[in-house]
Amino acid sequence: MGFFLETLFGGLMVGMLYSLIAIGFVLIYKASGVFNFAQGAMVLFAALAMARFAEWFPLWFGFQSLLLANILAFIAAMAVMIVVAWLIERLALSKLVNQEGITLLMATLGIAYFLDGVGQTIFGNDIYKIDVGMPKEPLMVLESTFPGGLLLSQEDLAAAAVSAALVVVLAIFFQKTATGRALRAVADDHQAAQSIGIPLSRIWVIVWSVAGFSALVAGIIWGSKLGVQFSLSLVALKALPVVILGGLTSIPGAIIGGLLIGVGEKLSEIYLGPMLGGGIEIWFAYVLALVFLLVRPQGLFGEKIIDRV
Amino acid sequence: MFYRENGQFKSSYRADQQIFPIAQDRIAILVLLLVAFVVVPMGVSDYWMRAILTPFLILSLAALGLNILVGYCGQISLGTGAFMAVGAYAAYNFQVRIDGMPLIASLLLGGLCATVIGVLFGIPSLRIKGLYLAVATLAAQFFTDWAFLRIQWFTNNSSSGSVSVAGLNVFGVPIESPVQKYLFCLIFVVVFALLAKNLVRSAIGREWMAMRDMDVAAAVIGIRPVYAKLTAFAVSSFIVGVAGALWGFIHLGAWEPAAFSIDRSFQLLFMVIIGGLGSIMGSFFGAAFIVLLPLFLNQLPGWLGFSISTALASHLETMIFGALIVFFLIVEPHGLARLWSTAKEKLRLWPFPH
């Protein structure tokens, strides 16, 4: 029982991180109808920027404090992501308005490749570490209830807390601020939003910046767990089935989908894996999402797809 | 001035509906085939034959298959590498498990296995489309990656998933030297390109295109979505499967699942986009472009007189690929094939454009 709960919690923590990346997808899809394949590349890019800036700033400006370096690096990385968002809007999206979803999807694939290349050219392609001072040693809880207790990673707990905080911030931003209202208006109807004077291009830059922000947070958390390297952009491939499962337009869907997939993946690996030869984590999420799509094509919380001629 | 069709009259529907209605095009294609079959094997170095022309031919074949699915039927697929892998490993199994299996038969049977898997993973396309389908086809990719690595039966009990073939021959003729391999692939490509061209011109091809342009409207006028989509998946994955088998058998000789990874799927998708969605010719352009671009990028710094590290070169390559994808989607969504046909249109009017 204790082992099962440990696996379950492990799955929930990983799932939380998946949802963090998935939220980036959902944000952009909601506000512009673009399925952003470049989210993974953005996570890698943001994490690379963060890791390298935190390393470079103390050298450039000659100070020692890790905290100060991290704060400055975070601000600088965020600035870089805003520039990236602006460039993407300027150079690619604004020229592809009114194209089909597939065209936009392929454009974001191109953007993903481009960002991967640029990121590694500027920041290098080794494994870098991000040290934001997350506690590393595991935590023992409920020793009296279970024999051996439950082993929880403090790092995972901190990550989950940060993710939860991010979701709350995003929810407030979307529901309470004027910009958030404009974003929701654009998401509902581009033309109507434009006609009452909401500037589309600025909204898109904001959305991509927010997606960049969530990519940065996801990148920092994953990066401090696993180190920043190229495989980070592949983590986003894990977030795709999450979005599909939860529904492309729903932030709660992204969160619940992430948790479901995280838990499903870990439990299936432990309990089904040995029967099938192990390593089924690779495809489990996809097959789960695929089976789910056959039953409910719009995902858990997605809007119903209605075809009209 | 020479590329003009006046004086070429057609007096039957057959003549009017040929693949190349203009005589100059027919001559050009014949010359091209002659060059490919006769001049190239005589005049090209073994390195070019082995490292550039053969991969180019096989990848064009795979791009052709993918183009039928994405370009003609509008079903986006990110799982091409998976279907190539199925073709390659299935053909390998036929080859090693059945004594005296002819090479061509095992390649085609490999293609048939890919067809079955393709249709299986195509079934979701009946319920979902576009973005959702793209993710669904990724499932195929990850599943086959895993299956060929972990399920020992597929690889004849090799622990790492790597297999090798040797002593290939067709009707007693060995397929060993680069020239023989090249010619073998060339024959496959020519036959399949002709088949594909005729398929997309036929009734089924028009059904695919109707499905791509607007599926609901197509269904309303009596096209069966199930039939149209699944045949597109079947034909596409058959061609892709054969290409995969050729890639493994002829080009690599020994391979592991990584040869058909998700990068291969993306690479093929890029070929189709850059070459031209919905164009047979475009598949060849795209393949040529993607095969030659890295070579060109590797040579370029040398020509300009400075050297860059291999890491930087590969990053630059990724960057340029990415930028080109976006560039093509913005400037010419129909790819190089459209540029080619525009050039031909212009040439027909030249020197009096109006």
Side-chain angles (χ1 to χ4, degrees):
Chain A
M1 188 64 192
F3 179 67
F4 171 78
L5 279 180
E6 239 174 66
T7 319
L8 188 74
F9 278 121
L12 284 176
M13 300 302 171
V14 177
M16 202 72 206
L17 293 179
Y18 288 157
S19 7
L20 204 55
I21 300 176
I23 287 171
F25 281 107
V26 172
L27 282 178
I28 290 184
Y29 190 80
K30 258 173 93 86
S32 55
V34 179
F35 190 78
N36 179 24
F37 229 93
Q39 189 67 25
M42 282 166 70
V43 171
L44 175 66
F45 192 85
L48 270 177
M50 172 77 191
R52 296 298 271 169
F53 284 146
E55 200 177 315
W56 288 338
F57 283 162
L59 292 176
W60 291 347
F61 305 120
F63 59 84
Q64 291 294 319
S65 158
L66 184 68
L67 182 68
L68 186 62
N70 272 327
I71 292 173
L72 286 180
F74 185 84
I75 294 168
M78 193 55 229
V80 170
M81 291 317 286
I82 291 174
V83 172
V84 168
W86 184 77
L87 284 176
I88 288 175
E89 202 280 325
R90 264 302 85 149
L91 299 177
L93 291 182
S94 62
K95 307 227 162 63
L96 287 168
V97 189
N98 291 332
Q99 297 276 2
E100 281 173 59
I102 290 184
T103 313
L104 291 164
L105 168 75
M106 291 196 266
T108 61
L109 252 175
I111 293 172
Y113 266 64
F114 188 74
L115 270 185
D116 276 347
V118 175
Q120 292 183 78
T121 309
I122 301 175
F123 299 116
N125 55 341
D126 283 333
I127 301 177
Y128 304 102
K129 62 175 199 295
I130 295 181
D131 185 8
V132 284
M134 280 218 248
K136 295 277 182 197
E137 59 280 359
L139 201 66
M140 193 69 97
V141 293
L142 296 174
E143 262 170 300
S144 49
T145 330
F146 301 110
L150 279 181
L151 216 51
L152 291 183
S153 148
Q154 281 195 52
E155 202 178 14
D156 284 348
L157 282 177
V162 172
S163 320
L166 181 77
V167 171
V168 171
V169 169
L170 284 178
I172 292 173
F173 175 67
F174 267 87
Q175 296 299 329
K176 301 290 176 193
T177 64
T179 319
R181 234 180 355 257
L183 286 179
R184 278 183 291 144
V186 171
D188 269 353
D189 191 335
H190 287 181
Q191 280 183 345
Q194 244 177 335
S195 67
I196 56 164
I198 296 173
L200 254 192
S201 61
R202 204 172 82 211
I203 293 298
W204 280 354
V205 173
I206 292 174
V207 173
W208 280 76
S209 305
V210 174
F213 174 67
S214 82
L216 179 59
V217 175
I220 291 171
I221 294 174
W222 278 105
S224 68
K225 258 172 89 93
L226 307 167
V228 180
Q229 53 182 316
F230 184 71
S231 65
L232 197 58
S233 70
L234 300 178
V235 172
L237 286 177
K238 273 287 175 54
L240 285 179
V242 170
V243 199
I244 294 296
L245 193 68
L248 271 174
T249 46
S250 156
I251 288 186
I255 296 166
I256 291 171
L259 295 179
L260 274 180
I261 289 220
V263 170
E265 213 176 65
K266 287 280 172 281
L267 289 181
S268 67
E269 180 68 52
I270 301 280
Y271 293 103
L272 272 176
M275 276 184 274
L276 292 168
I280 65 170
E281 257 183 296
I282 304 169
W283 53 263
F284 181 80
Y286 277 93
V287 175
L288 187 69
L290 190 59
V291 171
F292 194 79
L293 279 183
L294 287 176
V295 184
R296 208 181 140 84
Q298 70 270 34
L300 270 176
F301 298 96
E303 287 158 26
K304 189 140 185 61
I305 306 162
I306 300 167
D307 279 322
R308 287 198 185 86
V309 179
Chain B
M1 197 183 304
F2 304 105
Y3 188 70
R4 191 151 311 157
E5 68 213 81
N6 45 1
Q8 298 175 20
F9 300 114
K10 280 136 197 144
S11 52
S12 67
Y13 285 116
R14 268 184 78 84
D16 199 37
Q17 288 175 343
Q18 330 175 49
I19 298 179
F20 300 108
I22 303 173
Q24 286 91 328
D25 279 349
R26 284 198 296 277
I27 296 166
I29 283 292
L30 283 179
V31 171
L32 188 70
L33 284 179
L34 209 65
V35 169
F37 274 103
V38 180
V39 181
V40 169
M42 290 194 300
V44 173
S45 73
D46 274 4
Y47 167 76
W48 264 75
M49 203 77 87
R50 197 182 61 242
I52 294 159
L53 288 178
T54 310
F56 156 69
L57 284 175
I58 301 175
L59 290 176
S60 344
L61 188 59
L64 189 67
L66 182 63
N67 214 336
I68 286 182
L69 190 62
V70 182
Y72 284 98
C73 196
Q75 309 294 310
I76 191 164
S77 164
L78 298 174
T80 329
F83 303 137
M84 281 181 87
V86 171
Y89 278 98
Y92 169 78
N93 274 304
F94 284 114
Q95 189 77 10
V96 294
R97 283 175 203 281
I98 300 173
D99 257 347
M101 189 76 174
L103 175 62
I104 294 184
S106 54
L107 292 178
L108 293 180
L109 283 171
L112 274 184
C113 291
T115 309
V116 173
I117 302 294
V119 171
L120 212 62
F121 277 97
I123 290 174
S125 72
L126 307 176
R127 288 279 282 165
I128 55 183
K129 55 191 172 192
L131 323 163
Y132 288 93
L133 185 63
V135 176
T137 52
L138 271 180
Q141 182 69 51
F142 287 107
F143 188 75
T144 54
D145 272 1
W146 172 84
F148 293 124
L149 208 60
R150 299 286 180 145
I151 302 178
Q152 311 264 308
W153 189 85
F154 289 132
T155 53
N156 212 4
N157 300 323
S158 113
S159 55
S160 59
S162 67
V163 296
S164 65
V165 288
L168 303 173
N169 70 78
V170 180
F171 306 123
V173 181
I175 308 285
E176 295 289 330
S177 71
V179 177
Q180 286 160 339
K181 289 181 173 180
Y182 163 79
L183 284 175
F184 186 71
C185 294
L186 185 63
I187 293 170
F188 263 90
V189 170
V190 170
V191 171
F192 274 100
L194 192 66
L195 282 179
K197 184 71 193 173
N198 278 318
L199 262 183
V200 297
R201 283 163 6 116
S202 68
I204 185 72
R206 287 196 299 277
E207 288 189 10
W208 292 340
M209 286 186 263
M211 207 36 95
R212 166 195 68 188
D213 291 339
M214 192 163 213
D215 52 353
V216 182
V220 167
I221 60 165
I223 291 168
R224 290 161 294 168
V226 177
Y227 178 72
K229 284 181 181 172
L230 290 188
T231 45
F233 265 98
V235 171
S236 159
S237 36
F238 178 71
I239 299 179
V240 169
V242 170
L246 283 174
W247 187 256
F249 276 57
I250 309 292
H251 178 56
L252 298 175
W255 71 94
E256 48 180 8
F260 305 104
S261 66
I262 189 166
D263 286 328
R264 180 76 58 216
S265 304
F266 285 147
Q267 193 189 28
L268 285 164
L269 190 63
F270 291 166
M271 283 181 195
V272 173
I273 300 173
I274 291 181
L277 283 164
S279 153
I280 300 290
M281 193 66 121
S283 314
F284 290 93
F285 286 140
F289 191 83
I290 297 235
V291 170
L292 291 177
L293 185 68
L295 285 174
F296 173 73
L297 289 178
N298 276 330
Q299 297 296 322
L300 188 66
W303 293 336
L304 296 177
F306 57 90
S307 67
I308 55 175
S309 68
T310 43
L312 181 60
S314 84
H315 296 154
L316 282 178
E317 198 185 304
T318 339
M319 259 165 72
I320 291 171
F321 271 144
L324 275 173
I325 302 291
V326 179
F327 176 79
F328 268 102
L329 286 172
I330 292 171
V331 178
E332 187 48 273
H334 297 280
L336 295 171
R338 174 57 67 84
L339 292 180
W340 174 247
S341 63
T342 315
K344 285 209 307 191
E345 286 300 315
K346 289 244 191 290
L347 214 59
R348 276 158 86 167
L349 296 175
W350 185 83
F352 305 113
H354 62 93

